[in-house]
Structure formats: C-alpha cells, structure tokens
Amino acid sequence: YDEIFSEWAPNEKVACEVAFGASVAGARSFCAMKHVGLNVAADPLFTASYTGVNAGMVILVADDPGMHSSQNEQDSRHYAMGSKTMMLEPSDSAECLDFTKRAFDLSEKFDTPVIIRLTTRVAHSRSVAPVAERVDNGLKEYTKNPQKYVMVPANAKVKHVVVEQRILDQIAYCETGADGLNTIEYNSKKIGVITSGICYQYAKEALGENASYLKLGCVYPLPVDLIKNFAAECEKVYVLEELDDYIETHCRKNGIEVIGKDAFTLQGEYS
C-alpha cells in the first residue's frame, strides 16, 4: 500500500520506539510482536503510557498458549496492568479488524497507546470479516511539548496523576459496555461464564444456550459493577481464561464469587 510506510525493526523495542515517534509526529502507527517480544519492548511501553500519544498508536501482541513456537507461556495481560495501558482482546477475525480500528480511536480519545492481545489460535485461524473503504485520517499537527513527552521526574510525577485519572475514565467507559466491546448474553442463568478472546468461542460451542455469557472485549481496565451485576443474575459463575487467573483475581478482589483455576488448568491451550 503506497500510502502506508512499513518496515522491519532490529527488535521489538526499536519497533515500539519508531511507532511511538511516528505517533508523536502526527501519524497513526502500529507495531506487532509476539509475547516474548513485549518483554523487549517493555521499556518504551511503560514510558509511552505516561506520555500519551498524538496520533493513535496501537501495539499488537500475540500470546502463545501451548507454546507452539515459544520458549514460555506468558500472559501479556499483566503488561497492560503493569504499564497501565488499555488492552483489547478480539475473539475472531472480524473482531480483529473491528477492534484494531476501535483501538486507534480509543488511543486518541484517552491519549494513550492501546494494546491488542491475540493468542495463536486467533492469529492462525480464519473467519468472515466485513471489509470497507479505507479512511485516511491524515496527519495531526506536531506541537513541541517537553512537559508531555520528556519524562524527567518532575514531569513524570505530574503525568502519573493524569494516568490514574485516565484509568478511572476508562473504567467508567467499560462499565457501560465500552460501546459494545463488553457484552452480556443472557440465556439460561443456571451458569454464567465470564470470558474473553478465543475462550468465548469455546464456551459458546460447548455450552450454547445452556449458559449466559459476559464477554470482555476490553481486558484492561476491567469493569467492576458490570461483572457484579452479571454474577448476581446467575446461580453459578465460571471464569474461563487461558493461562493466568487474571480475570478471576479481579473478581475475587472485588468480592465476586467465581469458579476459575480450581476447575481449569493454568497450562496450555483450551479447546
């Protein structure tokens, strides 16, 4: 595509820094990596969360449950929480396309990079996705602003206050469904399933209309009242998530009784 500049970087840290530089200069930017690459890119990620962006910046990370081509099973949702960076998790090809478009808008709405988390099973599968004409968002004007972009301690202390307020604003956004990113499907209320990503597909295939579903398209930050209200409607609530007990821990922290890793493994892919 002539209108898109694309290149390989020596490593993921450089890729993230180049994408961030493009964002500051006014161009929407995107960089992609697998989960262990996010370890390398963590340095610029944590700082970019404080500075915020100019044009939208999206980082895509693909986790690898089952270690099909990796040296560990690593859950990148912890990076979103640690860096205080909004994270979306699509569950099929159509959502990959939709969530990526949404991520650019959210990046500019909340002045933050946005991470999209995939897993191998989503990244290496195909499903129907609607296509549309490309929208040219043009270039945003660059304005020199050391207080925003230079994170010496005096500036960073001020920005941390901004980051914490941004998270509160994002939580409020997620409580109302995040414009359809977080959805509830009520069927039988004997079982409720809180899930995200590919696990939503597995739950639907296994349980169908014998369960109700809270599908979390935004996995950081997580809502509280939305989950509490869903859990209150169901007799028994399961959290279905691959790898770590990330959503489960959030539920328990907020006094929501769920069944999670005491029933499902911490290792490998589900199916």
Side-chain angles (χ1 to χ4, degrees), residues 26-28 55 101 104-105 108 134-140:
R28 284 187 165 187
K101 293 179 179 180
F104 281 109
D105 292 335
E108 293 171 358
R134 179 177 180 272
V135 176
D136 188 350
N137 289 275
L139 295 175
K140 291 184 177 291

Side-chain angles (χ1 to χ4, degrees), residues 76-139:
S76 294
R77 295 176 296 178
H78 297 295
Y79 270 110
M81 179 183 291
S83 66
K84 303 178 185 291
T85 306
M86 194 174 209
M87 176 180 274
L88 312 182
E89 184 171 10
S91 64
D92 60 28
S93 301
E95 286 189 350
C96 285
L97 178 59
D98 178 45
F99 282 23
T100 302
K101 293 179 179 180
R102 301 273 293 277
F104 281 109
D105 292 335
L106 290 169
S107 175
E108 293 171 358
K109 174 184 176 70
F110 290 109
D111 190 14
T112 177
V114 175
I115 304 172
I116 297 176
R117 177 190 187 239
L118 302 183
T119 59
T120 303
R121 197 56 56 188
V122 174
H124 287 262
S125 63
R126 298 179 184 181
S127 58
V128 174
V131 295
E133 292 296 321
R134 179 177 180 272
V135 176
D136 188 350
N137 289 275
L139 295 175

Side-chain angles (χ1 to χ4, degrees), residues 199-222:
C199 291
Y200 166 75
Q201 306 288 3
Y202 297 154
K204 287 278 286 187
E205 186 174 353
L207 299 172
E209 295 186 356
N210 296 316
S212 295
Y213 307 92
L214 170 54
K215 177 176 173 291
L216 296 170
C218 182
V219 292
Y220 185 83
L222 289 167

Side-chain angles (χ1 to χ4, degrees), residues 13 15-21 23-24 29 31 41-55 57-59 83-86 107 110-115 148-151 156 159 162-163 166:
K13 175 181 182 291
C16 189
E17 289 173 335
V18 170
F20 176 66
S23 166
V24 172
S29 65
C31 62
D43 179 42
L45 167 64
F46 276 66
T47 303
S49 174
Y50 267 42
T51 65
V53 300
N54 183 14
M57 176 182 175
V58 175
I59 301 167
S83 66
K84 303 178 185 291
T85 306
M86 194 174 209
S107 175
F110 290 109
D111 190 14
T112 177
V114 175
I115 304 172
K148 175 174 171 62
Y149 295 116
V150 182
M151 286 301 96
K159 291 294 290 187
V162 174
V163 168
R166 182 183 77 205

